[in-house]
PDB file of all heavy atoms in Angstrom:
ATOM      1  N   SER I  37       0.011  23.584  -6.173  1.00 96.00           N
ATOM      2  CA  SER I  37      -0.665  24.753  -5.607  1.00 96.00           C
ATOM      3  C   SER I  37       0.311  25.488  -4.695  1.00 96.00           C
ATOM      4  O   SER I  37       1.411  24.999  -4.406  1.00 96.00           O
ATOM      5  CB  SER I  37      -1.888  24.315  -4.795  1.00 96.00           C
ATOM      6  OG  SER I  37      -1.488  23.744  -3.558  1.00 96.00           O
ATOM      7  N   TYR I  40      -0.446  26.086   1.999  1.00 96.00           N
ATOM      8  CA  TYR I  40      -1.406  26.703   2.907  1.00 96.00           C
ATOM      9  C   TYR I  40      -1.180  26.192   4.325  1.00 96.00           C
ATOM     10  O   TYR I  40      -0.942  25.003   4.539  1.00 96.00           O
ATOM     11  CB  TYR I  40      -2.839  26.356   2.484  1.00 96.00           C
ATOM     12  CG  TYR I  40      -3.230  26.984   1.177  1.00 96.00           C
ATOM     13  CD1 TYR I  40      -2.916  26.383  -0.027  1.00 96.00           C
ATOM     14  CD2 TYR I  40      -3.913  28.201   1.150  1.00 96.00           C
ATOM     15  CE1 TYR I  40      -3.267  26.964  -1.236  1.00 96.00           C
ATOM     16  CE2 TYR I  40      -4.272  28.791  -0.051  1.00 96.00           C
ATOM     17  CZ  TYR I  40      -3.942  28.168  -1.239  1.00 96.00           C
ATOM     18  OH  TYR I  40      -4.291  28.751  -2.440  1.00 96.00           O
ATOM     19  N   VAL I  57      -1.580  20.907  -2.875  1.00 98.00           N
ATOM     20  CA  VAL I  57      -2.081  19.974  -3.878  1.00 98.00           C
ATOM     21  C   VAL I  57      -1.047  19.882  -4.997  1.00 98.00           C
ATOM     22  O   VAL I  57      -0.459  20.885  -5.409  1.00 98.00           O
ATOM     23  CB  VAL I  57      -3.456  20.419  -4.437  1.00 98.00           C
ATOM     24  CG1 VAL I  57      -3.843  19.624  -5.680  1.00 98.00           C
ATOM     25  CG2 VAL I  57      -4.531  20.252  -3.362  1.00 98.00           C
ATOM     26  N   LEU I 121     -12.162  22.245   3.685  1.00 93.00           N
ATOM     27  CA  LEU I 121     -11.691  23.494   3.107  1.00 93.00           C
ATOM     28  C   LEU I 121     -10.195  23.426   2.795  1.00 93.00           C
ATOM     29  O   LEU I 121      -9.745  23.943   1.779  1.00 93.00           O
ATOM     30  CB  LEU I 121     -11.991  24.640   4.076  1.00 93.00           C
ATOM     31  CG  LEU I 121     -11.904  26.060   3.544  1.00 93.00           C
ATOM     32  CD1 LEU I 121     -12.837  26.261   2.348  1.00 93.00           C
ATOM     33  CD2 LEU I 121     -12.235  27.054   4.643  1.00 93.00           C
ATOM     34  N   THR I 123      -8.559  21.133   1.658  1.00 95.00           N
ATOM     35  CA  THR I 123      -8.373  20.437   0.383  1.00 95.00           C
ATOM     36  C   THR I 123      -8.932  21.261  -0.767  1.00 95.00           C
ATOM     37  O   THR I 123      -8.305  21.396  -1.815  1.00 95.00           O
ATOM     38  CB  THR I 123      -9.080  19.066   0.419  1.00 95.00           C
ATOM     39  OG1 THR I 123      -8.572  18.309   1.518  1.00 95.00           O
ATOM     40  CG2 THR I 123      -8.861  18.285  -0.856  1.00 95.00           C
ATOM     41  N   LEU I 124     -10.106  21.830  -0.561  1.00 96.00           N
ATOM     42  CA  LEU I 124     -10.781  22.560  -1.639  1.00 96.00           C
ATOM     43  C   LEU I 124     -10.090  23.868  -2.014  1.00 96.00           C
ATOM     44  O   LEU I 124     -10.069  24.236  -3.190  1.00 96.00           O
ATOM     45  CB  LEU I 124     -12.235  22.833  -1.249  1.00 96.00           C
ATOM     46  CG  LEU I 124     -13.129  21.595  -1.222  1.00 96.00           C
ATOM     47  CD1 LEU I 124     -14.444  21.898  -0.540  1.00 96.00           C
ATOM     48  CD2 LEU I 124     -13.352  21.064  -2.636  1.00 96.00           C
ATOM     49  N   VAL I 125      -9.495  24.558  -1.061  1.00 96.00           N
ATOM     50  CA  VAL I 125      -8.832  25.834  -1.380  1.00 96.00           C
ATOM     51  C   VAL I 125      -7.650  25.617  -2.336  1.00 96.00           C
ATOM     52  O   VAL I 125      -7.596  26.245  -3.398  1.00 96.00           O
ATOM     53  CB  VAL I 125      -8.434  26.602  -0.102  1.00 96.00           C
ATOM     54  CG1 VAL I 125      -7.516  27.781  -0.428  1.00 96.00           C
ATOM     55  CG2 VAL I 125      -9.680  27.094   0.630  1.00 96.00           C
ATOM     56  N   PRO I 126      -6.700  24.720  -2.029  1.00 96.00           N
ATOM     57  CA  PRO I 126      -5.605  24.522  -3.004  1.00 96.00           C
ATOM     58  C   PRO I 126      -6.077  23.853  -4.299  1.00 96.00           C
ATOM     59  O   PRO I 126      -5.539  24.148  -5.373  1.00 96.00           O
ATOM     60  CB  PRO I 126      -4.590  23.661  -2.259  1.00 96.00           C
ATOM     61  CG  PRO I 126      -5.286  23.112  -1.069  1.00 96.00           C
ATOM     62  CD  PRO I 126      -6.441  24.009  -0.770  1.00 96.00           C
ATOM     63  N   LEU I 127      -7.084  22.979  -4.229  1.00 97.00           N
ATOM     64  CA  LEU I 127      -7.639  22.397  -5.460  1.00 97.00           C
ATOM     65  C   LEU I 127      -8.252  23.485  -6.334  1.00 97.00           C
ATOM     66  O   LEU I 127      -8.083  23.488  -7.556  1.00 97.00           O
ATOM     67  CB  LEU I 127      -8.719  21.361  -5.129  1.00 97.00           C
ATOM     68  CG  LEU I 127      -8.351  19.906  -5.108  1.00 97.00           C
ATOM     69  CD1 LEU I 127      -9.550  19.066  -4.691  1.00 97.00           C
ATOM     70  CD2 LEU I 127      -7.770  19.408  -6.406  1.00 97.00           C
ATOM     71  N   ASN I 128      -8.969  24.400  -5.698  1.00 97.00           N
ATOM     72  CA  ASN I 128      -9.614  25.498  -6.427  1.00 97.00           C
ATOM     73  C   ASN I 128      -8.584  26.407  -7.100  1.00 97.00           C
ATOM     74  O   ASN I 128      -8.843  26.975  -8.155  1.00 97.00           O
ATOM     75  CB  ASN I 128     -10.504  26.293  -5.475  1.00 97.00           C
ATOM     76  CG  ASN I 128     -11.389  27.272  -6.195  1.00 97.00           C
ATOM     77  OD1 ASN I 128     -12.214  26.890  -7.016  1.00 97.00           O
ATOM     78  ND2 ASN I 128     -11.214  28.543  -5.895  1.00 97.00           N
ATOM     79  N   GLU I 129      -7.417  26.511  -6.502  1.00 96.00           N
ATOM     80  CA  GLU I 129      -6.332  27.297  -7.102  1.00 96.00           C
ATOM     81  C   GLU I 129      -5.908  26.691  -8.440  1.00 96.00           C
ATOM     82  O   GLU I 129      -5.612  27.406  -9.395  1.00 96.00           O
ATOM     83  CB  GLU I 129      -5.149  27.351  -6.134  1.00 96.00           C
ATOM     84  CG  GLU I 129      -3.979  28.153  -6.625  1.00 96.00           C
ATOM     85  CD  GLU I 129      -2.806  28.114  -5.651  1.00 96.00           C
ATOM     86  OE1 GLU I 129      -3.019  28.055  -4.414  1.00 96.00           O
ATOM     87  OE2 GLU I 129      -1.663  28.130  -6.132  1.00 96.00           O
ATOM     88  N   LEU I 130      -5.888  25.350  -8.504  1.00 97.00           N
ATOM     89  CA  LEU I 130      -5.404  24.665  -9.705  1.00 97.00           C
ATOM     90  C   LEU I 130      -6.510  24.328 -10.703  1.00 97.00           C
ATOM     91  O   LEU I 130      -6.321  24.492 -11.910  1.00 97.00           O
ATOM     92  CB  LEU I 130      -4.681  23.368  -9.314  1.00 97.00           C
ATOM     93  CG  LEU I 130      -3.395  23.496  -8.520  1.00 97.00           C
ATOM     94  CD1 LEU I 130      -2.796  22.120  -8.271  1.00 97.00           C
ATOM     95  CD2 LEU I 130      -2.396  24.392  -9.224  1.00 97.00           C
ATOM     96  N   ILE I 131      -7.643  23.814 -10.203  1.00 98.00           N
ATOM     97  CA  ILE I 131      -8.663  23.280 -11.122  1.00 98.00           C
ATOM     98  C   ILE I 131     -10.079  23.699 -10.701  1.00 98.00           C
ATOM     99  O   ILE I 131     -10.928  22.853 -10.415  1.00 98.00           O
ATOM    100  CB  ILE I 131      -8.552  21.741 -11.258  1.00 98.00           C
ATOM    101  CG1 ILE I 131      -8.585  21.053  -9.876  1.00 98.00           C
ATOM    102  CG2 ILE I 131      -7.322  21.354 -12.050  1.00 98.00           C
ATOM    103  CD1 ILE I 131      -8.746  19.528  -9.940  1.00 98.00           C
ATOM    104  N   PRO I 132     -10.368  24.994 -10.689  1.00 98.00           N
ATOM    105  CA  PRO I 132     -11.681  25.441 -10.212  1.00 98.00           C
ATOM    106  C   PRO I 132     -12.859  24.892 -11.026  1.00 98.00           C
ATOM    107  O   PRO I 132     -13.943  24.691 -10.486  1.00 98.00           O
ATOM    108  CB  PRO I 132     -11.608  26.966 -10.310  1.00 98.00           C
ATOM    109  CG  PRO I 132     -10.515  27.236 -11.298  1.00 98.00           C
ATOM    110  CD  PRO I 132      -9.540  26.106 -11.146  1.00 98.00           C
ATOM    111  N   ASP I 133     -12.649  24.624 -12.297  1.00 98.00           N
ATOM    112  CA  ASP I 133     -13.740  24.176 -13.166  1.00 98.00           C
ATOM    113  C   ASP I 133     -13.816  22.656 -13.325  1.00 98.00           C
ATOM    114  O   ASP I 133     -14.672  22.158 -14.056  1.00 98.00           O
ATOM    115  CB  ASP I 133     -13.615  24.833 -14.547  1.00 98.00           C
ATOM    116  CG  ASP I 133     -13.734  26.346 -14.442  1.00 98.00           C
ATOM    117  OD1 ASP I 133     -14.543  26.836 -13.624  1.00 98.00           O
ATOM    118  OD2 ASP I 133     -13.000  27.046 -15.171  1.00 98.00           O
ATOM    119  N   THR I 142     -18.495  21.547  -9.693  1.00 98.00           N
ATOM    120  CA  THR I 142     -17.110  21.965  -9.885  1.00 98.00           C
ATOM    121  C   THR I 142     -16.438  22.140  -8.520  1.00 98.00           C
ATOM    122  O   THR I 142     -17.107  22.288  -7.492  1.00 98.00           O
ATOM    123  CB  THR I 142     -17.015  23.293 -10.648  1.00 98.00           C
ATOM    124  OG1 THR I 142     -17.593  24.331  -9.839  1.00 98.00           O
ATOM    125  CG2 THR I 142     -17.706  23.221 -12.006  1.00 98.00           C
ATOM    126  N   ILE I 143     -15.124  22.159  -8.550  1.00 98.00           N
ATOM    127  CA  ILE I 143     -14.359  22.401  -7.330  1.00 98.00           C
ATOM    128  C   ILE I 143     -14.742  23.769  -6.766  1.00 98.00           C
ATOM    129  O   ILE I 143     -14.912  23.930  -5.555  1.00 98.00           O
ATOM    130  CB  ILE I 143     -12.838  22.311  -7.595  1.00 98.00           C
ATOM    131  CG1 ILE I 143     -12.447  20.901  -8.065  1.00 98.00           C
ATOM    132  CG2 ILE I 143     -12.032  22.737  -6.369  1.00 98.00           C
ATOM    133  CD1 ILE I 143     -12.796  19.777  -7.098  1.00 98.00           C
ATOM    134  N   GLN I 144     -14.917  24.734  -7.633  1.00 97.00           N
ATOM    135  CA  GLN I 144     -15.302  26.077  -7.189  1.00 97.00           C
ATOM    136  C   GLN I 144     -16.662  26.050  -6.470  1.00 97.00           C
ATOM    137  O   GLN I 144     -16.835  26.684  -5.436  1.00 97.00           O
ATOM    138  CB  GLN I 144     -15.340  27.028  -8.377  1.00 97.00           C
ATOM    139  CG  GLN I 144     -15.544  28.471  -8.005  1.00 97.00           C
ATOM    140  CD  GLN I 144     -15.329  29.387  -9.188  1.00 97.00           C
ATOM    141  OE1 GLN I 144     -15.507  29.006 -10.330  1.00 97.00           O
ATOM    142  NE2 GLN I 144     -14.942  30.618  -8.910  1.00 97.00           N
ATOM    143  N   GLU I 145     -17.620  25.304  -7.006  1.00 97.00           N
ATOM    144  CA  GLU I 145     -18.929  25.182  -6.355  1.00 97.00           C
ATOM    145  C   GLU I 145     -18.804  24.496  -4.999  1.00 97.00           C
ATOM    146  O   GLU I 145     -19.403  24.943  -4.013  1.00 97.00           O
ATOM    147  CB  GLU I 145     -19.898  24.398  -7.244  1.00 97.00           C
ATOM    148  CG  GLU I 145     -20.348  25.150  -8.477  1.00 97.00           C
ATOM    149  CD  GLU I 145     -21.121  24.284  -9.454  1.00 97.00           C
ATOM    150  OE1 GLU I 145     -20.794  23.084  -9.612  1.00 97.00           O
ATOM    151  OE2 GLU I 145     -22.078  24.814 -10.061  1.00 97.00           O
ATOM    152  N   LEU I 146     -18.035  23.420  -4.944  1.00 96.00           N
ATOM    153  CA  LEU I 146     -17.830  22.723  -3.677  1.00 96.00           C
ATOM    154  C   LEU I 146     -17.155  23.630  -2.658  1.00 96.00           C
ATOM    155  O   LEU I 146     -17.523  23.642  -1.481  1.00 96.00           O
ATOM    156  CB  LEU I 146     -17.007  21.443  -3.888  1.00 96.00           C
ATOM    157  CG  LEU I 146     -17.685  20.346  -4.702  1.00 96.00           C
ATOM    158  CD1 LEU I 146     -16.695  19.225  -5.008  1.00 96.00           C
ATOM    159  CD2 LEU I 146     -18.906  19.806  -3.983  1.00 96.00           C
ATOM    160  N   ARG I 147     -16.194  24.408  -3.127  1.00 95.00           N
ATOM    161  CA  ARG I 147     -15.474  25.368  -2.259  1.00 95.00           C
ATOM    162  C   ARG I 147     -16.449  26.379  -1.659  1.00 95.00           C
ATOM    163  O   ARG I 147     -16.374  26.733  -0.489  1.00 95.00           O
ATOM    164  CB  ARG I 147     -14.379  26.042  -3.082  1.00 95.00           C
ATOM    165  CG  ARG I 147     -13.825  27.356  -2.570  1.00 95.00           C
ATOM    166  CD  ARG I 147     -12.988  27.190  -1.334  1.00 95.00           C
ATOM    167  NE  ARG I 147     -12.556  28.453  -0.812  1.00 95.00           N
ATOM    168  CZ  ARG I 147     -13.224  29.186   0.084  1.00 95.00           C
ATOM    169  NH1 ARG I 147     -14.392  28.811   0.518  1.00 95.00           N
ATOM    170  NH2 ARG I 147     -12.721  30.317   0.550  1.00 95.00           N
ATOM    171  N   GLN I 148     -17.373  26.852  -2.464  1.00 94.00           N
ATOM    172  CA  GLN I 148     -18.341  27.850  -1.995  1.00 94.00           C
ATOM    173  C   GLN I 148     -19.368  27.256  -1.034  1.00 94.00           C
ATOM    174  O   GLN I 148     -19.899  27.954  -0.180  1.00 94.00           O
ATOM    175  CB  GLN I 148     -19.048  28.490  -3.190  1.00 94.00           C
ATOM    176  CG  GLN I 148     -18.124  29.376  -4.000  1.00 94.00           C
ATOM    177  CD  GLN I 148     -18.703  29.779  -5.356  1.00 94.00           C
ATOM    178  OE1 GLN I 148     -19.687  29.231  -5.817  1.00 94.00           O
ATOM    179  NE2 GLN I 148     -18.064  30.762  -5.981  1.00 94.00           N
TER     180      GLN I 148
END
Side-chain angles (χ1 to χ4, degrees):
S37 74
Y40 292 85
V57 168
L121 195 57
T123 303
L124 290 167
V125 169
L127 262 177
N128 191 61
E129 181 183 326
L130 295 182
I131 54 169
D133 298 322
T142 65
I143 298 302
Q144 188 170 27
E145 289 171 324
L146 293 172
R147 160 71 184 90
Q148 290 167 347

